[in-house]
Amino acid sequence: MSNLKIFDITIEPSQQGSYFTVPFQVPPGIESLSLKYHYPRRDNARETFENGSFNAQPEICIIDLGLIDPHGEQVGASGSDKSEIFISEALATPGYRPTRIEPGEWQVLVGAYKVPPAGTRVHYEITFTQKYTRLLKGDLHTHTLASDGVHSLEELAIKALRSGLDFLAVTDHNQMISYDALPHQPGLTIIPGIEWTHYQGHANFLGVERPYDGSFACNSLAEALPRFQSARERGALITINHPFEPDCGFLFDMHTLPFDCLEVWNGPMREPNLKSLGMWQQMLISGRKIPVIGGSDYHRDTPFIFLGGPTTCTYAGSGGVSDILQALRSGHTFITFAPNGPTLEMAAGEAIMGDSLAWAEGLQVNIKACGLKAGDVVQVITRQGAETIFKAPADGEMEYQYPVRVAGFVRVEILRTFLPGIPMLPAALSNPIYFDAR
């Protein structure tokens, strides 16, 4: 949904050679804005001569363009070169930086470079595009040659697009990265991150350029804590990575260090991930509301490791970093084994996965599973345990209304036999919808 704001300004000859601003209001919930402007830049003087004519178009007026955000920061300036610009958090016209469209007073920067003797009138049209919830697929744990991966940032971004991903977090070991260093790949949101890597455990700090000052190195929980607190204060999404991975499990006290999400699915589904799922289930039963995510921990292609294996899928308001991170933080997320793996939808009224509502008699969760293969098993998991609700007789999709019998939570797993002779493993799993006792 879009809405349009139109206004004109008059520039007098006395303003030539000056800059000034024109304020305009941006409403809440805007994903992007585009701005067009035009004015009589050239005169049209038609002259005739024997057997022909000449239409003279001398440049009589030049009005420059720029944009300032509600914090007074310059978003960009394009002189008189562009008559239309586009701004969003994910993408922007060259010469302008991608910027989250915050509500409040923005300003058009006007440069009256050349004004005709009679003055001029400039027409502006600003189009606002509203946010809407969409499903985005990404990988939240990857490495480049800046640490121990084999691909450059550019190569990794191209590979992500070709793999069908919408976002990618770059999380090199103990290596911070700035937004300016990230490649520009239309259709892909790249999230700056760092995998804080310690002998006692690994954690990702996502979405900020510098989550902490100084070195990563520390020798105790007391020394690690300020780094986590700094990352939290600066707005990073903090994930605890592969807590049961041999040789690099998470040994710090997770009740002391602040974090937002738990990485329960790292690379191919195997025993350490199943242990993480078991620990998470116990957290849920104890009343903790911890969103889970997955990540490939991609360094290079191997027979079992690939970009987007697993894929974290999130229902976000836009493709901007802040909206993706907010959706992850809210648990509006499910994990699937690959970018083309099965997908999940869950809703209880207006609540979706990650949301909480008060339990009451008669509540139900509407579940939709797409991309099922013959033999797939769909389970609902609550504090009371797992309950099989469907086994796919063929490839297809399923819809189911699950009655919520008691307070607690409801989450969904899709189990699949990937290879003959191997037990069924999760092909997809959701965050819960929580039903709080009154």
Side-chain angles (χ1 to χ4, degrees):
M1 183 184 297
S2 300
N3 56 71
L4 184 65
K5 183 178 184 64
I6 299 174
F7 58 89
D8 291 354
I9 64 168
T10 298
I11 302 178
E12 302 294 343
S14 60
Q15 293 175 282
Q16 179 169 297
S18 68
Y19 294 97
F20 58 94
T21 60
V22 179
F24 65 95
Q25 291 294 321
V26 174
I30 299 300
E31 178 176 356
S32 65
L33 68 82
S34 60
L35 186 156
K36 299 180 182 179
Y37 80 121
H38 63 82
Y39 56 92
R41 183 163 185 163
R42 296 182 180 276
D43 194 13
N44 285 286
R46 188 177 183 83
E47 301 177 8
T48 60
F49 53 88
E50 187 176 356
N51 298 326
S53 64
F54 173 70
N55 190 28
Q57 295 181 329
E59 196 170 52
I60 60 170
C61 186
I62 302 174
I63 306 300
D64 292 337
L65 176 67
L67 190 64
I68 297 173
D69 71 14
H71 304 287
E73 297 294 330
Q74 178 180 300
V75 177
S78 50
S80 61
D81 179 64
K82 297 175 175 66
S83 60
E84 181 175 358
I85 60 171
F86 172 88
I87 307 291
S88 73
E89 187 176 10
L91 296 170
T93 299
Y96 293 77
R97 58 181 170 84
T99 304
R100 185 164 67 96
I101 310 301
E102 297 184 37
E105 184 177 276
W106 292 60
Q107 299 173 76
V108 177
L109 177 60
V110 182
Y113 178 60
K114 186 176 184 179
V115 183
T120 191
R121 195 160 184 81
V122 186
H123 179 78
Y124 294 90
E125 296 182 4
I126 303 175
T127 302
F128 303 116
T129 301
Q130 292 279 346
K131 293 180 180 181
Y132 67 92
T133 301
R134 79 288 309 267
L135 179 63
L136 299 174
K137 300 180 178 183
D139 195 331
L140 292 171
H141 193 160
T142 68
H143 299 276
T144 75
L145 48 74
S147 58
D148 53 352
V150 299
H151 295 299
S152 67
L153 271 170
E154 291 76 12
E155 291 167 338
L156 196 65
I158 292 169
K159 193 176 185 70
L161 277 173
R162 290 175 176 172
S163 299
L165 299 179
D166 302 299
F167 63 89
L168 181 77
V170 180
T171 56
D172 280 313
H173 298 288
N174 297 323
Q175 298 289 333
M176 299 181 190
I177 187 169
S178 70
Y179 276 100
D180 291 340
L182 300 177
H184 175 73
Q185 287 290 342
L188 180 73
T189 299
I190 305 179
I191 302 171
I194 178 175
E195 184 171 20
W196 182 79
T197 304
H198 190 279
Y199 305 133
Q200 301 297 308
H202 297 188
N204 281 346
F205 302 149
L206 304 179
V208 298
E209 296 182 330
R210 179 165 288 276
Y212 53 84
D213 297 325
S215 168
F216 74 93
C218 61
N219 290 305
S220 67
L221 176 62
E223 292 179 0
L225 181 58
R227 290 160 175 80
F228 278 71
Q229 290 173 329
S230 172
R232 168 64 62 82
E233 291 166 0
R234 296 179 186 186
L237 180 87
I238 304 174
T239 73
I240 300 297
N241 293 346
H242 43 66
F244 290 99
E245 191 67 20
D247 301 325
C248 56
F250 201 84
L251 305 181
F252 287 111
D253 179 11
M254 284 193 284
H255 291 278
T256 301
L257 296 177
F259 67 96
D260 301 292
C261 299
L262 183 65
E263 185 191 67
V264 296
W265 194 339
N266 174 278
M269 182 55 71
R270 59 202 191 282
E271 185 179 0
N273 291 329
L274 294 174
K275 288 182 177 179
S276 297
L277 281 171
M279 179 180 70
W280 178 50
Q281 175 72 3
Q282 292 305 309
M283 288 178 170
L284 295 176
I285 291 172
S286 72
R288 297 186 70 183
K289 297 180 179 180
I290 305 294
V292 293
I293 56 94
S296 67
D297 208 347
Y298 180 80
H299 294 73
R300 59 188 60 80
D301 289 322
T302 75
F304 297 103
I305 296 175
F306 55 91
L307 199 62
T311 297
T312 297
C313 304
T314 192
Y315 292 98
S318 79
V321 170
S322 63
D323 282 327
I324 292 172
L325 294 183
Q326 181 55 43
L328 294 168
R329 191 175 276 113
S330 300
H332 297 165
T333 302
F334 66 90
I335 313 167
T336 188
F337 78 93
N340 61 350
T343 61
L344 286 166
E345 297 177 34
M346 293 173 59
E350 296 297 316
I352 64 172
M353 56 186 77
D355 291 342
S356 300
L357 67 164
W359 181 80
E361 293 282 355
L363 285 174
Q364 68 177 24
V365 178
N366 298 310
I367 301 167
K368 184 174 182 179
C370 298
L372 296 175
K373 297 293 185 183
D376 283 357
V377 170
V378 182
Q379 291 188 334
V380 168
I381 301 174
T382 66
R383 349 180 17 157
Q384 286 70 42
E387 177 183 350
T388 296
I389 61 170
F390 184 73
K391 182 174 182 178
D395 296 0
E397 59 184 51
M398 177 218 74
E399 294 188 25
Y400 190 90
Q401 289 77 46
Y402 180 82
V404 184
R405 301 179 183 92
V406 295
F409 61 88
V410 172
R411 63 183 183 90
V412 175
E413 290 188 7
I414 299 173
L415 304 180
R416 177 173 295 179
T417 300
F418 287 93
L419 291 171
I422 295 180
M424 300 189 88
L425 293 171
L429 60 91
S430 78
N431 273 287
I433 297 178
Y434 300 95
F435 298 91
D436 298 334
R438 293 180 182 275

